Amino acid sequence: MPASLLVPLDGSPHAEQALPLATELARRTDGYLHLAIVRSSLPLDVDPTPVHAYLEGVAARMEADLPGRIG
């Protein structure tokens, strides 16, 4: 069964340091990566568009390494 790996991101370069290791683990296990934004708090009236754009950008950069296995 393929692994399903959750990668929590907060938008910082420090958090993105986990991406190469997560990509390698997914590649070795024929697994999938699931990207998630993690914040201590997010007001309900905040526009989620920038958050979605950030996650889509990270996923697009990683697509070449794991085609069809980024969510």
Side-chain angles (χ1 to χ4, degrees), residues 16-63:
E16 289 186 18
Q17 289 180 354
L19 293 171
L21 177 59
T23 300
E24 185 59 28
L25 286 171
R27 186 180 296 120
R28 288 182 185 200
T29 62
D30 198 30
Y32 295 85
L33 290 184
H34 301 279
L35 307 177
I37 286 288
V38 178
R39 303 264 175 136
S40 59
S41 64
L42 188 63
L44 295 177
D45 61 346
V46 170
D47 179 9
T49 304
V51 173
H52 291 286
Y54 167 71
L55 286 177
E56 287 174 2
V58 172
R61 291 193 321 255
M62 299 177 68
E63 183 65 26

